[in-house]
């Protein structure tokens, strides 16, 4: 797979998704708020007892807009100073406690004032939001461009006015401090001496002050809790208000249709833009910015100089990183990671240039500040496009590491400079149209810049897609993608010229971010694919060597078995995956993970813009009762059901493709015994299934408390009906991890001796010497006595008895038997063979020849060879091997 194929699929799906949701959103622009609006309308009718139209017309026009602005706390919470009971006089203690009480009461009053103000803002904002939502619902899309501009002003005001960023954090800190002081007061009250002398009145006064202070702190904690709740709710309502305005503005014309007046405004915009570059404000801006950001500017300038000096080195490193790509013995994923790092470093000089320029203009007036923002955005665009250009360079990542399509890489190298030359100036200038002085030229200069960018993007898309389709002209999907990529910027351009400039601008910005997001994830995909490819090739080489060694050992075993007359398995079921399955599963899992990341990012990007994507969260399928007393039931929406299905499908796909990925990325790097990897994969699969089931049930609202009876019944069933199966299952896991037996071992259990040919979760297969397969439950291997002939050492001792006649030379017999053992190839040298005279029999002297063999299959051939050699050697040496003799005494002979 190359870059073009992946990007074509992702771009095609993302653009189709974008246009689908746009069409759906245009057909149902306000349906995402339908449930809330219906409930609000019903509430309004019930409260007023009259139609909604009469309710909303008069008071709403007379009521001023809410300014939901809350500043951070100006003063910190006063700390209670508790007196030292040992050194301070009781009058001093009373004075200190009274001062703390006064400060605390002031703090409580201040917090309550802030709480009242926040609640009033919240109530007013809630009323304004509800009434405004109803008015927009009633008006539909029959709103003018002037009304849209007023909505933009209100949105800008809401974005400018709001809750201070650190206000909620300050309230939490005050709550924490107040709780600590409450605890310290309780401890202080517990340790003071009440006393019973003449000073009891002072002590009583002190105790009263402590109780009052404790009560004040408790009231302050309650007020802070209420304040925290009100501020949090206000913040959520402001954000919801902004979303409502953004969604409605998205479908309204924000500018007049392009005409002759637009051309006149364009000349005025150019003159205004040129007038802003006056020398005195520019010098003042540069001087102020240099003083404020001198250290950062100097650091970036030094870094820029170093990167420019080292640029030839980065290019050489980039070429060197591809030297060993494809060499199985020396290829590493680190080469690709180093190539990515060098590509990023090659892209940074241009980014640093724009960053330094942005810092130099940051402290200027509105115009220069807007230029600074544009330069900062241009730095990001430069990083993205230059990075793609470096990836596409000859000998770079796309060419040497990822094997992307050559025509596409050449087109990227050729067309990206053109796109940079057009997009960068537009990105720098565009923010100036949002300044107070340039806002009136947004419909002229802003649309001119948007038109230029759209035409450049369309031309760029046409040239790139033409290169992609150069040798694949018959593919309809690529043709459809070609048409969409070229037509989308042009359609947005037409929408902007017809007055929907805000809509077109937001769509094109989101489409550009979406394509950058897809390209970034495509890079991650190919890096992951490259890592898998390196591991798979090395694993193939290792498997090939292991296969050859296994074939050699199996041939030796068969030869020994044939000579011993014993049967052995023809093949051993080693728990290793096929390399083709590994490649397919690992690639599929990587593609699934990247697709999930891409879809999640695109959904988060477009959900706030397209109301149609929020329909799923507003369709309630059922509700779940919660365990909280008085708590509202938990609604389960269509979005929750789709998420649950997504989790279920993802779990199934992950379980199916997990073994190959584990084998490549983790298990192949470990020096594991055969079967251990299989056990790890099995347990990981079970864990993944369990987690997937729990998440699936949790998303659709199934609570654990409702499943306890089912788990209890399942436990009883396992305890009675399935105990043997569970015992064998657990025993199989123990066998796979503890490794008392392995595939290929020769074992004896329950009077059965054979070779282990297969280990599974429930049972193990033994092939005995008669070539019969014995299926033995795993529980037997864990609970019964087991003899493993080849667990850690396959060398086995063989004892061969030999008898000689009385009168034989015993030393000579011992010498001959030792020589026979040493001359046999099956006898190992360590441990060395030994010969002993072990007894005096009725008719012979008994010797034992004790030797060790390398494999149990050598026992029978060795016995044959040793016995034959002993008979022959002793006969040649004149040593007699006696046989039992019996004397028969006949006492009587019966008469015939």
């Amino acid at each position: 797979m190359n870059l073009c194929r992946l990007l074509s699929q992702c771009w095609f799906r993302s653009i189709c998704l974008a246009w689908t949701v746009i069409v759906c959103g245009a057909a149902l622009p306000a349906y995402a708020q339908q449930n809330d609006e219906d409930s609000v309308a019903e509430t309004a009718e019930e409260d007023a007892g009259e139609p909604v139209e009469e309710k909303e017309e008069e008071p709403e026009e007379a009521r001023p807009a809410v300014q939901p602005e809350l500043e951070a706390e100006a003063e910190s919470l006063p700390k209670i100073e508790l007196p030292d009971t040992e050194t301070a006089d009781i009058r001093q203690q009373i004075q200190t406690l009274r001062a703390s009480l006064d400060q605390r009461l002031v703090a409580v009053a201040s917090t309550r004032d802030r709480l009242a103000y926040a609640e009033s803002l919240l109530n007013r904002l809630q009323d304004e939001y509800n009434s405004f939502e109803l008015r927009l619902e009633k008006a539909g899309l029959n709103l003018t461009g002037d009304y849209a501009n007023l909505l933009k002003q209100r949105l800008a005001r809401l974005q400018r006015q709001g809750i201070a960023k650190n206000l909620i954090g300050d309230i939490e800190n005050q709550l924490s401090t107040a709780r600590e002081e409450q605890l310290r007061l309780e401890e202080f009250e517990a340790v003071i001496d009440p006393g019973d002398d003449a000073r009891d009145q002072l002590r009583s006064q002190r105790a009263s002050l402590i109780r009052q202070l404790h009560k004040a702190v408790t009231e302050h904690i309650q007020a802070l809790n209420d304040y925290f709740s009100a501020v949090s709710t206000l913040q959520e309502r402001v954000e919801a208000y902004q979303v409502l305005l953004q969604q409605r503005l998205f479908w309204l014309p924000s500018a007049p249709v392009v005409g002759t007046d637009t051309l006149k405004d364009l000349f005025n915009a150019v003159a205004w833009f040129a007038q802003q570059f006056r020398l005195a404000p520019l010098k003042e801006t540069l001087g102020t910015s240099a003083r404020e950001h001198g250290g950062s500017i100097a650091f970036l300038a030094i870094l820029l100089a170093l990167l420019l000096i080292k640029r030839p080195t980065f290019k050489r490193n980039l070429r060197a990183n591809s030297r060993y790509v494809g060499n199985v013995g020396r290829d590493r994923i680190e080469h690709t990671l180093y190539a990515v790092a060098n590509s990023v470093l090659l892209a940074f000089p241009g980014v640093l240039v724009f960053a330094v320029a942005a810092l130099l203009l940051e402290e200027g007036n509105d115009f220069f500040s807007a230029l600074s923002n544009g330069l900062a955005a241009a730095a990001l665009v430069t990083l993205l496009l230059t990075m793609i250009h470096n990836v596409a360079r000859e000998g770079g990542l796309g060419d040497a590491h990822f094997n992307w399509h050559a025509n596409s890489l050449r087109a990227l190298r050729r067309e990206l400079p053109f796109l940079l030359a057009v997009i960068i100036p537009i990105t720098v200038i565009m923010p100036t149209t949002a300044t107070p002085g340039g806002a009136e030229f947004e419909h002229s200069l802003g649309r001119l810049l948007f038109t230029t960018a759209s035409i450049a993007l369309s031309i760029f898309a046409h040239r790139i897609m033409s290169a992609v389709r150069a040798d694949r002209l018959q593919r309809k999907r690529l043709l459809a993608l070609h048409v969409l990529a070229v037509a989308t910027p042009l359609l947005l351009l037409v929408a902007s010229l017809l007055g929907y400039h805000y809509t077109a601008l937001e769509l094109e910005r989101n489409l550009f971010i979406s394509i950058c997001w897809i390209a970034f994830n495509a890079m991650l995909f190919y890096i992951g694919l490259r890592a898998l490819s390196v591991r798979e090739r090395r694993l193939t080489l290792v498997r090939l060597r292991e296969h050859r060694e296994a074939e050699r050992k199996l041939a030796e075993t068969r030869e020994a078995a044939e000579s011993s007359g014993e049967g052995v398995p023809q093949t051993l079921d080693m728990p290793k995956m096929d390399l083709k399955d590994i490649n397919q599963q690992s690639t599929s899992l990587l593609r699934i993970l990247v697709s999930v990341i891409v879809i999640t990012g695109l959904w988060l990007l477009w959900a706030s813009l397209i109301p149609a994507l929020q329909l799923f969260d507003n369709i309630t399928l059922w509700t779940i009762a919660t365990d909280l007393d008085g708590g509202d039931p938990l609604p389960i929406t269509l979005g929750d059901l789709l998420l649950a299905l997504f989790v279920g499908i993802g779990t199934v796909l992950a379980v199916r493709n997990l073994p190959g990925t584990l084998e490549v990325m983790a298990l192949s790097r470990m020096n594991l015994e055969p079967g251990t990897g299989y056990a790890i994969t099995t347990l990981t699969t079970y864990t993944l299934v369990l987690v997937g089931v729990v998440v699936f049930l949790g998303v659709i609202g199934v609570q654990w408390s409702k499943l306890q009876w089912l788990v209890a019944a399942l436990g009883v069933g396992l305890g009675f009906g399935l105990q043997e199966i569970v015992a064998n299952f657990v025993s199989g896991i123990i066998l796979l991890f503890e490794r008392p037996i392995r595939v290929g071992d020769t074992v004896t259990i329950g009077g059965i001796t054979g070779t282990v040919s297969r280990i599974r979760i429930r049972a193990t297969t033994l092939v005995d010497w008669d070539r019969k397969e014995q299926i033995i439950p795993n529980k037997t291997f864990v609970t019964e006595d087991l003899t493993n002939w080849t667990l850690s050492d396959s060398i086995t001792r063989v004892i061969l008895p030999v008898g000689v006649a009385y009168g034989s030379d015993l030393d000579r017999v011992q010498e001959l038997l030792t020589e026979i053992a040493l001359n046999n190839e099956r006898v190992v040298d360590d441990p060395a063979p030994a010969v002993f005279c072990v007894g005096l029999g009725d008719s012979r002297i008994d010797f034992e020849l004790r030797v060790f063999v390398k494999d149990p299959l050598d026992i029978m051939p060795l016995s044959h060879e040793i016995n034959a050699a002993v008979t022959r050697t002793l006969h040649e040496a004149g040593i007699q091997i006696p046989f039992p003799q019996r004397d028969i005494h006949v006492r009587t002979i019966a008469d015939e």
Side-chain angles (χ1 to χ4, degrees):
M1 179 182 292
N2 52 34
L3 172 67
C4 307
R5 187 179 305 172
L6 180 68
L7 289 183
S8 64
Q9 294 176 357
C10 296
W11 289 8
F12 181 76
R13 294 172 184 173
S14 61
I15 294 178
C16 290
L17 172 65
W19 280 111
T20 301
V21 298
I22 290 171
V23 172
C24 295
L28 300 170
Y31 186 74
Q33 311 293 336
Q34 182 175 353
N35 294 337
D36 294 337
E37 292 168 358
D38 293 342
S39 61
V40 171
E42 294 175 0
T43 304
E45 291 179 359
E46 293 176 359
D47 293 342
E50 56 185 4
V52 177
E53 290 79 359
E54 299 179 6
K55 172 80 174 178
E56 66 182 46
E57 289 179 357
E58 297 180 358
E60 295 303 332
E61 294 178 357
R63 182 180 301 164
V66 182
Q67 298 180 0
E69 187 173 8
L70 287 178
E71 299 179 355
E73 298 286 344
E75 298 179 358
S76 61
L77 185 67
K79 186 177 180 180
I80 296 178
E81 298 292 341
L82 295 179
D84 190 347
T85 58
E86 296 182 358
T87 60
D89 183 74
I90 189 170
R91 297 182 185 276
Q92 295 178 352
Q93 295 179 20
I94 292 174
Q95 184 178 1
T96 303
L97 290 173
R98 183 175 287 111
S100 297
L101 177 60
D102 293 339
Q103 293 177 354
R104 181 61 56 173
L105 291 175
V106 171
V108 171
S110 175
T111 302
R112 286 175 176 172
D113 291 340
R114 286 177 170 269
L115 172 61
Y117 178 68
E119 289 178 342
S120 65
L121 282 180
L122 178 60
N123 293 330
R124 292 173 56 196
L125 187 65
Q126 182 69 38
D127 293 340
E128 179 181 330
Y129 177 85
N130 292 336
S131 62
F132 185 71
E133 188 179 32
L134 290 173
R135 284 185 298 177
L136 290 179
E137 175 66 17
K138 181 179 178 180
L141 295 178
N142 298 321
L143 299 174
T144 62
D146 293 337
Y147 194 89
N149 290 330
L150 293 175
L151 292 183
K152 288 180 62 177
Q153 294 178 8
R154 176 165 293 191
L155 176 60
R157 178 176 58 81
L158 287 174
Q159 292 175 343
R160 184 173 61 255
Q161 298 173 347
I163 311 301
K165 295 182 179 179
N166 56 345
L167 177 58
I168 294 179
D170 290 343
I171 299 175
E172 290 178 337
N173 293 333
Q174 291 184 11
L175 268 171
S176 178
T177 303
R179 293 190 180 101
E180 293 175 2
E181 291 178 345
Q182 185 183 43
L183 184 60
R184 287 198 300 117
L185 273 173
E186 294 171 355
E187 291 297 320
F188 179 78
E189 186 176 5
V191 299
I192 60 175
D193 182 15
D196 56 357
D197 53 13
R199 305 175 69 184
D200 285 347
Q201 185 177 0
L202 295 177
R203 297 180 186 276
S204 176
Q205 185 178 0
R206 181 181 63 180
S208 176
L209 286 173
I210 293 175
R211 288 193 297 271
Q212 294 178 31
L213 185 56
H214 186 276
K215 180 181 178 181
V217 172
T218 303
E219 293 176 352
H220 197 192
I221 292 175
Q222 181 62 38
L224 287 173
N225 280 322
D226 296 339
Y227 189 34
F228 178 81
S229 178
V231 170
S232 300
T233 306
L234 183 62
Q235 179 70 27
E236 295 174 358
R237 183 50 57 191
V238 170
E239 294 174 355
Y241 204 168
Q242 294 176 2
V243 171
L244 176 63
L245 291 172
Q246 289 173 348
Q247 291 175 352
R248 184 46 59 103
L249 279 173
F250 187 79
W251 305 105
L252 294 178
S254 59
V257 180
V258 172
T260 56
D261 293 337
T262 308
L263 296 178
K264 296 178 181 178
D265 291 340
L266 183 60
F267 288 113
N268 295 331
V270 173
W272 167 82
F273 188 83
Q275 291 175 359
Q276 301 303 312
F277 289 96
R278 294 189 296 271
L279 186 59
L282 181 60
K283 287 184 177 180
E284 182 181 357
T285 298
L286 295 177
T288 305
S289 299
R291 288 191 299 270
E292 293 291 334
H293 308 288
S296 300
I297 294 173
F299 173 76
L300 293 180
I302 294 174
L303 184 59
L304 175 61
L306 290 176
L307 290 177
L308 292 176
I309 294 173
K310 290 291 185 179
R311 190 173 180 84
T313 304
F314 298 149
K315 292 181 179 180
R316 288 195 301 270
N317 292 339
L318 189 60
R319 290 191 295 268
N321 294 144
S322 60
R323 182 181 308 170
Y324 299 116
V325 173
N327 188 330
V328 180
R330 307 183 68 175
D331 196 0
R332 298 288 186 278
I333 185 59
E334 287 80 3
H335 299 323
T336 301
L337 298 179
Y338 291 150
V340 172
N342 285 302
S343 300
V344 173
L345 291 175
L346 286 173
F348 256 103
V351 177
L352 294 179
V353 169
F354 287 110
V356 171
L359 289 176
L360 288 173
L361 298 178
E362 186 174 1
E363 301 300 328
N365 54 26
D366 292 337
F367 178 79
F368 290 120
S369 180
L371 280 182
S372 175
N373 295 333
L375 289 168
L380 179 60
V381 174
T382 302
L383 176 62
L384 295 173
L385 298 182
T386 310
M387 180 64 188
I388 297 175
H389 187 270
N390 289 327
V391 170
R393 69 167 56 240
E394 294 183 7
L397 282 166
D399 185 16
H401 296 257
F402 301 150
N403 295 323
W404 285 348
H405 197 264
N407 291 337
S408 303
L409 294 177
R410 282 195 295 269
L412 286 173
R413 292 194 296 268
R414 183 178 62 251
E415 301 300 333
L416 276 174
F418 157 75
L419 187 63
L420 276 169
V422 176
I423 294 297
I424 295 302
I426 294 175
T427 305
V428 174
I429 298 174
M430 185 69 78
T432 61
T433 59
T435 60
E440 59 179 311
F441 304 117
E442 182 180 5
H443 300 159
S444 54
L445 180 60
R447 282 200 278 189
L448 174 63
L449 297 175
F450 182 80
T451 300
T452 306
S454 300
I455 294 175
L457 289 174
S458 182
I459 294 174
F460 176 79
H462 172 68
R463 293 175 179 177
I464 295 297
M465 292 307 302
S466 298
V468 171
R469 297 180 57 237
D471 54 352
R472 295 189 291 268
L473 297 176
Q474 303 301 323
R475 296 191 177 182
K476 296 182 179 180
R477 178 176 295 181
L478 288 178
L479 176 61
L481 178 63
H482 191 168
V483 174
L484 279 175
V486 174
T488 298
L490 298 179
L491 291 174
L492 295 178
L493 169 60
V494 173
S496 175
L497 297 178
L498 292 178
Y500 292 88
H501 178 63
Y502 177 82
T503 304
L505 187 64
E506 291 296 321
L507 281 176
E508 188 161 283
R509 179 185 294 113
N510 279 25
L511 283 174
F512 180 77
I513 296 175
S514 299
I515 293 174
C516 292
W517 175 248
I518 292 173
F520 172 74
N521 284 276
M523 180 71 66
L524 293 181
F525 173 77
Y526 278 103
I527 292 175
L529 199 63
R530 167 98 172 102
L532 292 174
S533 176
V534 171
R535 289 299 306 167
E536 287 165 5
R537 285 199 296 267
R538 295 181 65 82
L539 185 58
T540 302
L541 181 61
V542 173
R543 288 284 182 87
L544 182 60
R545 293 172 179 173
E546 291 178 351
H547 181 68
R548 291 176 179 176
E549 182 64 20
E551 286 185 344
R552 184 186 65 81
K553 290 183 178 180
L554 185 59
E556 294 177 355
T557 303
R558 288 176 180 173
E559 182 180 355
E562 291 174 358
S563 61
S564 64
E566 307 288 359
V568 296
Q570 292 295 316
T571 58
L572 299 177
D573 187 9
M574 305 297 287
K576 288 186 178 180
M577 296 183 57
D578 184 75
L579 291 174
K580 183 178 180 181
D581 294 336
I582 290 175
N583 181 29
Q584 181 180 1
Q585 292 182 7
S586 57
T587 304
S588 299
L589 185 60
L590 178 63
R591 186 179 290 109
I592 291 170
L593 292 176
V594 173
S595 300
V596 169
I597 296 174
V598 170
I599 294 174
T600 303
L602 293 178
W603 188 276
L604 294 176
L605 177 64
W606 289 92
S608 61
L609 190 63
I610 308 298
L613 295 180
Q614 300 178 355
L615 293 177
F616 301 118
D617 294 330
N618 296 319
I619 300 177
T620 301
L621 301 179
W622 63 82
T623 58
I624 301 296
T626 60
D627 297 333
L628 300 176
D629 294 337
D632 296 332
L634 178 66
I636 303 300
T637 64
L638 181 59
D640 296 329
L641 181 60
L642 294 178
L643 178 60
L645 294 177
F646 182 76
V647 171
I649 295 173
T651 301
V652 173
L653 294 176
V655 168
R656 291 178 57 185
N657 297 286
L658 179 66
T661 306
L662 278 179
E663 181 72 21
V664 172
M665 301 306 297
L667 301 181
S668 61
R669 301 175 182 270
M670 306 176 185
N671 188 17
L672 301 176
E673 294 290 340
T676 304
Y678 173 78
I680 295 175
T681 302
T682 302
L683 292 181
T684 305
T685 302
Y686 292 158
T687 303
L688 188 60
V689 171
L690 179 61
V691 172
V693 170
V694 171
V695 174
F696 176 84
L697 296 178
V699 171
I700 62 176
V702 178
Q703 301 175 4
W704 174 251
S705 59
K706 305 297 189 300
L707 296 178
Q708 291 179 353
W709 64 270
L710 180 60
V711 175
L714 182 61
V716 173
L718 292 176
F720 287 97
L722 304 177
Q723 57 181 347
E724 290 297 328
I725 296 178
V726 174
N728 288 321
F729 170 78
V730 176
S731 299
I733 296 176
I734 293 174
L735 291 178
L736 290 173
F737 276 101
E738 187 179 331
R739 315 299 300 149
I741 60 174
R742 301 163 303 182
V743 174
D745 284 351
T746 301
V747 300
T748 299
I749 185 170
I752 301 174
T753 301
T755 303
V756 179
S757 64
R758 186 181 299 109
I759 300 177
R760 288 293 182 259
I761 288 297
R762 191 196 67 82
T764 297
T765 302
L766 261 64
V767 179
D768 63 10
W769 302 135
D770 297 330
R771 293 282 295 276
K772 293 183 297 183
E773 291 186 339
Q774 306 286 338
I775 309 299
I776 303 176
N778 291 329
K779 178 182 176 182
T780 306
F781 291 92
V782 177
T783 59
E784 295 186 6
D785 294 337
L786 169 69
T787 300
N788 192 333
W789 298 81
T790 57
L791 178 60
S792 58
D793 189 359
S794 61
I795 295 178
T796 304
R797 188 179 71 171
V798 180
I799 300 177
L800 299 173
V802 177
V804 297
Y806 281 99
S808 302
D809 187 352
L810 299 184
D811 294 335
R812 178 61 176 166
V813 171
Q814 184 179 21
E815 180 183 350
L816 292 175
L817 294 179
T818 303
E819 183 179 353
I820 291 171
L822 293 175
N823 291 334
N824 192 290
E825 295 180 353
R826 300 182 189 274
V827 177
V828 299
D829 296 332
D830 186 19
V835 178
F836 299 98
C837 179
V838 296
L840 302 175
D842 294 339
S843 59
R844 66 178 185 176
I845 302 174
D846 295 327
F847 281 82
E848 282 188 359
L849 174 58
R850 301 185 177 187
V851 296
F852 291 85
V853 293
K854 294 179 292 185
D855 192 273
L857 291 175
D858 288 334
I859 294 176
M860 293 304 296
L862 176 70
S863 300
H864 169 76
E865 295 169 1
I866 292 292
N867 289 330
V870 167
T871 303
R872 182 174 57 255
T873 302
L874 293 182
H875 178 71
E876 293 175 354
I879 299 174
Q880 184 180 1
I881 301 177
F883 52 87
Q885 298 181 4
R886 297 291 183 267
D887 293 335
I888 301 175
H889 299 277
V890 181
R891 294 181 179 275
T892 59
I893 298 176
D895 294 337
E896 294 181 359

